[in-house]
Amino acid sequence: MKITPAEQTSCELDISNLDLAVEAIADKGYVILEDVFDEPWIKQMRGAVSAELRSKYAALDLDPPGNHGGIECPIRMPFIDPHLIENGIITQVLERILGPRYLGHLPYGCNTAFPGSIKQNVHRDAGHIFPEIRSALPPLLLVVNVALDDFTADNGATEIWPCSHLLVDADEEESATLKIPEERSKEHPSTQTTMTAGSVIVRDMRTWHRGMPNKTGQPRTMLMLVFYRQYFIPDSFSLLLSEEELNQFSDKSKMIYRLRAN
């Protein structure tokens, strides 16, 4: 779904596009919002994430890593830029689906397909909270992925199974492990999430997906921020920070991420 220049500038979807985004998540289990973030922002964030990745894997004596990997992003700028963690377009979608008091999790992470990475198993990130009920309930968890590189078939754009969030016929092992047997995944159509850097995927975490091989010489990185419906985690949950850390955040972010002074 293409974001208009006016929507990118105002950081707000018009009501018709908001309705389309929410409908896509309900029907397909995900929506791609193209070009939410501009090139200067992407360049800054990609540089910061790349530095953290190099530091982590150099310390592990893995240079370069040969598969999928990632980091927890530090609670400091530019990782806690309000343009990301309380982005107006993303917030609109989250509030419509999860309600106005949804909960976000910090620190958030990133996922990188390094050159030479292999195909992952098909899986869900979350199961149905009541698998004994033979119909899918509204989502409790959504993940927001922000592409910091162009996603292509060559560099491992995520493969996803549209409408799989509605499938409630998993056996006991699949429900326990969240892994989808290969033969079962072949019974349903899939697609790769090709998109430009700066685009955003909002995905119901029950939707089947997997990382794909990166056949290029450059890493392919995306951020991943997880959000919960209010009642899935109690309001008493909070991330305790020092006063100095807490003062980095707006009142809106303090509410979204349930941030409090230690």
Side-chain angles (χ1 to χ4, degrees):
M1 186 176 128
K2 191 72 175 176
I3 301 299
T4 68
E7 288 173 323
Q8 188 185 55
T9 299
S10 67
C11 212
E12 183 176 348
L13 295 175
D14 67 40
I15 190 64
S16 59
N17 275 345
L18 177 59
D19 288 342
L20 287 173
V22 171
E23 182 180 345
I25 295 168
D27 292 345
K28 296 196 305 178
Y30 70 100
V31 68
I32 297 176
L33 305 173
E34 299 180 47
D35 302 323
V36 174
F37 297 95
D38 62 22
E39 179 57 33
W41 187 92
I42 298 160
K43 184 176 180 180
Q44 179 190 34
M45 184 62 76
R46 187 195 299 120
V49 169
S50 296
E52 293 293 325
L53 286 165
R54 286 194 298 270
S55 176
K56 173 182 175 177
Y57 288 102
L60 296 174
D61 197 26
L62 294 172
D63 188 25
N67 213 321
H68 297 269
I71 56 167
E72 284 192 341
C73 294
I75 300 179
R76 65 171 187 265
M77 290 295 288
F79 303 102
I80 57 170
D81 183 357
H83 188 49
L84 171 66
I85 66 170
E86 55 180 73
N87 180 274
I89 289 173
I90 295 170
T91 295
Q92 278 183 289
V93 176
L94 295 174
E95 286 184 347
R96 276 281 296 271
I97 297 174
L98 299 179
R101 287 187 57 80
Y102 68 87
L103 169 72
H105 181 270
L106 290 177
Y108 62 84
C110 86
N111 179 280
T112 298
F114 294 102
S117 62
I118 61 174
K119 183 165 58 178
Q120 292 180 325
N121 293 324
V122 185
H123 61 282
R124 305 180 194 259
D125 286 336
H128 294 279
I129 190 169
F130 298 115
E132 67 274 18
I133 297 177
R134 308 317 292 173
S135 60
L137 298 177
L140 291 174
L141 298 99
L142 297 175
V143 62
V144 173
N145 292 134
V146 179
L148 298 183
D149 301 286
D150 292 342
F151 273 42
T152 69
D154 285 338
N155 72 4
T158 307
E159 186 177 16
I160 197 166
W161 276 255
C163 309
S164 56
H165 65 305
L166 301 174
L167 298 175
V168 293
D169 56 343
D171 61 23
E172 186 175 341
E173 181 177 358
E174 184 182 315
S175 294
T177 65
L178 303 181
K179 294 179 180 178
I180 313 302
E182 189 75 17
E183 61 274 13
R184 177 161 151 78
S185 68
K186 290 178 180 177
E187 297 173 357
H188 301 275
S190 66
T191 186
Q192 279 190 270
T193 54
T194 55
M195 58 185 170
T196 56
S199 298
V200 169
I201 304 177
V202 184
R203 172 171 54 82
D204 186 318
M205 293 183 70
R206 298 171 295 182
T207 307
W208 300 358
H209 64 286
R210 66 176 164 192
M212 297 296 283
N214 184 349
K215 304 170 190 173
T216 73
Q218 298 297 321
R220 189 275 295 146
T221 296
M222 66 181 178
L223 305 178
M224 51 186 186
L225 294 83
V226 176
F227 299 91
Y228 306 77
R229 191 176 290 269
Q230 175 187 359
Y231 300 110
F232 194 58
I233 291 180
D235 270 355
S236 58
F237 171 85
S238 61
L239 178 62
L240 300 179
L241 302 174
S242 69
E243 289 285 354
E244 182 180 2
E245 290 172 322
L246 189 64
N247 289 338
Q248 300 177 96
F249 296 91
S250 70
D251 289 342
K252 183 174 183 178
S253 282
K254 290 174 187 176
M255 189 278 286
I256 293 173
Y257 297 95
R258 305 302 195 270
L259 305 176
R260 294 180 175 86
N262 198 343

